[in-house]
Amino acid sequence: MRFRMMQGLILAIASLAPIGAMAGTYDLVIDEQIVNITGKDKKAMTINGQLPGPTLRFKEGEDVTINVTNRLDVDSSIHWHGILLPYQMDGVPGISFDGIKPGETFSYQFPIKQSGTYWYHSHSGFQEQEGVFGSIVIEAEKREPFKVDREYVVMLSDWSDETGDQIFANLKAQSDYYNYSQQTAGDFFDDVKTKGWSAAFKDRLSWGSMRMMPTDIADVSGYTFLMNGKAPETNWTALFEKGERIRLRFINGSAMSYFDVRIPGLEMTVVQSDGNNVQPVTVDEFRIAVAETYDVIVRPREDKAFTIFAESVSRTGYARGTLAPREGMAAEVPEQRDSQLLTMSDMSMASMGGMDHSSMAGMENMKGMDHSKMAGMEGMAGMEAMDHSKMMMGASSANSDYAPGSGLAPEAANGGKFLVYADLKAQTPFADYREPDREIELRLTGNMERYFWSINGIKYSDAEPVRLKMGERVRIKFVNDTMMMHPMHLHGMWMQLDKGNGRFNPLKHTVNVAPNTTLTVDVPVDALGQWAFHCHLMYHMAAGMFRKVIVEEAVVQTAAQ
């Protein structure tokens, strides 16, 4: 095992040396090997013998050739997450290419037109969950607007000794298979003590009618959370000298897990989001959705260790590392906070009543719902037979990315500043900022009991592509009709997140849409071809919350026409 790992390391170092300053060639090999992360041997998928794969370091303006060899016995692929490139190089089987067959090598070739922190991962099956992912750091052509003394990639991920196929099969057979915090008879009697018999009973009936529980924060529990491939007890460590400015490039490469990140004793200054510079904002904690990246700068002024603490939003565990002036040091690891619980505020009108969204064309099916029977809505008697199709869906405010009263709204552990999307303002104004040419509404829908996820009530296999015209600016309005968070990722183009900052709205490749909220982004359509657009929760994507986007040339209308 040790010999194989050494072979992999040598291969990684040798293969990552670029040929020529502005025309780099890189070689990646996808293979399998036995790893032991939890005390149990498991065959994992690796890249160049590593898990996660090696950090690829590019320079803005470089033309790269990346040769990816597949040594698995199934098809594979690599998608370059957040990178602007020709669609044929995007690495999504069935959309941009056919995938990489066993034993074959595919050469990706594209120019690097941006800088910042990104990542790469397989887009085939559940290979990303099993180890086929890594980080990308692109050095800016011009001087960056901030100064640092050293930097580290902090790749967060979730590890399971089960295969992705096993997890997905379990979810399809029983959607709450991994909910280890199901409410018990004891919880019910506790509710009776605090709410009274009638209210507690109504509450249970309401949640039961929706096939949900307040503890349904994450679909999958039981993960071991990793920082740069290391379990918490292994304590990945980054060194510093007192007074240095340290850049930490956080990437959430998890399959299904969000994290709340803090470093007790240090403030973090956020300077990049999804690879794009933002005006510096100092926070005590931030939430990173699956597939997002955040770059922060910290400045330890004391000769002591600090814990980098990434607590899962489901509060089922954490990834942990250490910033230290010397090897072998460790700081106190914070206690985990109590689990958050969903509330009625996380429930859109469309999700009430256990509605099967597969039949939903709008909200017409909601007519006739009796809200007076729902817990927490006793004062709404008289709403019987209300026509919900006339009602507005929930909306978040500038101070929170969650619905008012949401059980998922985060708070900093020390009572300080928690980053919200409205804090993200681009470093420079977007040159082509203008009113959108049109709007597309995408309702995020699903059926938890049957474990399928969809957009506008239609799963990917039954859906028509979303068609966009080159040069137009399209507003996409996400309406989350489910009680789960969804990190929506658009390939090949930016989404300009609208949180009221106008031309300083930040460019992102992934945005988190909280339960019962509406989030809008504007897409400057500037890349021809076929692109993927999907929820980045792996099992939601596999279950149907996915679309193909086709960008076509605009047809010029002539006077004769």
Side-chain angles (χ1 to χ4, degrees):
M1 171 70 183
R2 182 174 295 174
F3 176 71
R4 294 195 62 184
M5 289 294 287
M6 185 60 71
Q7 277 187 313
L9 182 61
I10 293 170
L11 175 62
I13 293 171
S15 64
L16 294 177
I19 302 171
M22 298 303 286
T25 298
Y26 307 81
D27 296 314
L28 299 179
V29 178
I30 302 172
D31 206 343
E32 288 183 320
Q33 69 181 63
I34 301 297
V35 301
N36 189 324
I37 290 174
T38 63
K40 177 182 177 182
D41 285 349
K42 184 200 171 186
K43 185 181 289 185
M45 296 180 183
T46 57
I47 303 176
N48 290 8
Q50 300 180 50
L51 192 163
T55 297
L56 298 176
R57 293 186 178 272
F58 302 142
K59 291 183 178 179
E60 186 178 5
E62 176 182 357
D63 291 319
V64 299
T65 298
I66 310 170
N67 302 311
V68 179
T69 299
N70 176 16
R71 290 186 182 163
L72 306 176
D73 57 8
V74 295
D75 288 10
S76 190
S77 59
I78 293 291
H79 161 61
W80 315 100
H81 188 106
I83 303 297
L84 305 177
L85 72 187
Y87 81 92
Q88 299 93 335
M89 298 290 113
D90 195 43
V92 181
I95 292 183
S96 48
F97 77 147
D98 294 332
I100 309 172
K101 301 295 180 188
E104 294 187 354
T105 297
F106 184 85
S107 293
Y108 295 85
Q109 295 179 309
F110 50 90
I112 300 297
K113 301 189 289 186
Q114 61 206 106
S115 62
T117 303
Y118 303 91
W119 63 300
Y120 61 93
H121 59 83
S122 172
H123 227 289
S124 299
F126 304 114
Q127 294 173 9
E128 176 195 325
Q129 167 84 86
E130 297 184 39
V132 186
F133 64 96
S135 52
I136 298 173
V137 173
I138 305 176
E139 181 184 337
E141 198 170 34
K142 298 178 181 177
R143 190 173 67 176
E144 294 189 293
F146 43 83
K147 181 181 176 183
V148 298
D149 298 297
R150 66 174 83 190
E151 64 171 51
Y152 295 97
V153 169
V154 184
M155 171 67 85
L156 305 173
S157 61
D158 45 17
W159 171 263
S160 173
D161 284 333
E162 293 184 290
T163 67
D165 286 327
Q166 288 171 330
I167 293 172
F168 191 56
N170 290 335
L171 289 170
K172 292 295 284 185
Q174 183 183 337
S175 62
D176 62 352
Y177 184 91
Y178 293 99
N179 186 341
Y180 302 148
S181 302
Q182 303 209 25
Q183 292 188 305
T184 64
D187 295 326
F188 173 71
F189 287 112
D190 287 343
D191 288 345
V192 170
K193 289 178 185 175
T194 57
K195 301 177 182 176
W197 177 270
S198 178
F201 187 68
K202 284 183 180 178
D203 191 74
R204 282 300 175 96
L205 284 180
S206 298
W207 285 100
S209 68
M210 294 175 287
R211 281 78 170 174
M212 292 287 291
M213 282 178 281
T215 54
D216 282 330
I217 307 296
D219 294 359
V220 183
S221 298
Y223 282 125
T224 298
F225 299 110
L226 309 181
M227 186 172 290
N228 289 334
K230 305 290 187 184
E233 59 273 14
T234 311
N235 191 25
W236 174 80
T237 299
L239 300 180
F240 69 86
E241 292 185 9
K242 189 171 65 174
E244 282 187 327
R245 293 167 59 85
I246 314 298
R247 179 181 190 168
L248 299 175
R249 299 175 181 264
F250 284 94
I251 303 168
N252 188 351
S254 298
M256 294 293 286
S257 304
Y258 283 51
F259 296 95
D260 290 338
V261 178
R262 66 186 194 269
I263 306 176
L266 291 179
E267 292 181 327
M268 299 178 287
T269 301
V270 179
V271 295
Q272 263 191 14
S273 173
D274 288 2
N276 291 296
N277 291 334
V278 296
Q279 297 176 31
V281 54
T282 299
V283 301
D284 295 282
E285 193 165 346
F286 65 91
R287 177 166 292 178
I288 184 167
V290 172
E292 285 188 312
T293 75
Y294 285 102
D295 286 28
V296 308
I297 294 175
V298 298
R299 192 170 193 183
R301 298 177 186 274
E302 300 174 82
D303 186 48
K304 68 174 195 177
F306 298 87
T307 294
I308 305 172
F309 194 64
E311 188 177 22
S312 77
V313 171
S314 61
R315 305 294 188 249
T316 56
Y318 57 85
R320 166 247 182 170
T322 298
L323 273 175
R326 291 173 295 282
E327 289 284 1
M329 297 179 71
E332 181 181 355
V333 178
E335 291 284 332
Q336 281 194 257
R337 290 170 285 192
D338 292 337
S339 298
Q340 294 184 296
L341 296 175
L342 295 169
T343 70
M344 287 292 176
S345 297
D346 295 305
M347 197 178 307
S348 74
M349 293 297 180
S351 65
M352 292 181 177
M355 173 184 282
D356 180 352
H357 300 282
S358 64
S359 61
M360 188 178 75
M363 295 184 68
E364 297 83 356
N365 295 341
M366 299 181 69
K367 296 177 182 178
M369 183 181 289
D370 183 355
H371 282 164
S372 65
K373 302 294 192 296
M374 295 181 178
M377 303 186 77
E378 293 81 355
M380 301 180 76
M383 292 179 68
E384 298 90 338
M386 171 183 270
D387 181 355
H388 299 279
S389 62
K390 304 294 192 295
M391 297 180 71
M392 293 291 291
M393 306 303 294
S396 59
S397 69
N399 296 322
S400 174
D401 299 317
Y402 293 81
S406 167
L408 292 174
E411 294 180 356
N414 66 355
K417 170 68 178 172
F418 202 107
L419 182 74
V420 296
Y421 273 166
D423 294 326
L424 299 176
K425 300 174 185 174
Q427 184 71 233
T428 55
F430 188 68
D432 190 29
Y433 183 77
R434 54 188 166 89
E435 286 297 311
D437 298 300
R438 61 185 175 115
E439 178 178 292
I440 296 174
E441 182 176 285
L442 298 179
R443 305 189 81 91
L444 309 181
T445 48
N447 184 302
M448 189 66 179
E449 187 176 27
R450 293 162 55 194
Y451 204 78
F452 79 76
W453 299 95
S454 51
I455 296 174
N456 292 341
I458 302 172
K459 57 187 178 182
Y460 178 53
S461 57
D462 299 327
E464 292 294 321
V466 176
R467 294 183 180 276
L468 306 179
K469 296 295 184 187
M470 187 72 174
E472 67 177 346
R473 184 176 172 89
V474 177
R475 173 155 296 178
I476 294 178
K477 179 181 176 183
F478 296 107
V479 181
N480 189 348
D481 285 337
T482 78
M483 296 191 72
M484 309 294 290
M485 296 181 284
H486 299 288
M488 299 304 296
H489 170 48
L490 175 63
H491 291 221
M493 292 171 283
W494 295 116
M495 297 182 284
Q496 193 167 22
L497 173 63
D498 184 8
K499 276 291 184 177
N501 294 315
R503 63 179 61 247
F504 288 94
N505 283 331
L507 300 176
K508 288 180 64 63
H509 50 62
T510 306
V511 294
N512 176 45
V513 188
N516 191 26
T517 65
T518 297
L519 186 76
T520 57
V521 299
D522 291 346
V523 177
V525 181
D526 57 2
L528 290 168
Q530 302 186 148
W531 304 99
F533 190 20
H534 58 89
C535 175
H536 219 285
L537 296 179
M538 177 169 291
Y539 303 108
H540 289 193
M541 177 174 65
M545 192 173 278
F546 192 113
R547 284 291 184 274
K548 178 195 287 186
V549 171
I550 299 177
V551 178
E552 301 166 313
E553 291 281 9
V555 176
V556 178
Q557 298 288 325
T558 64
Q561 294 173 308

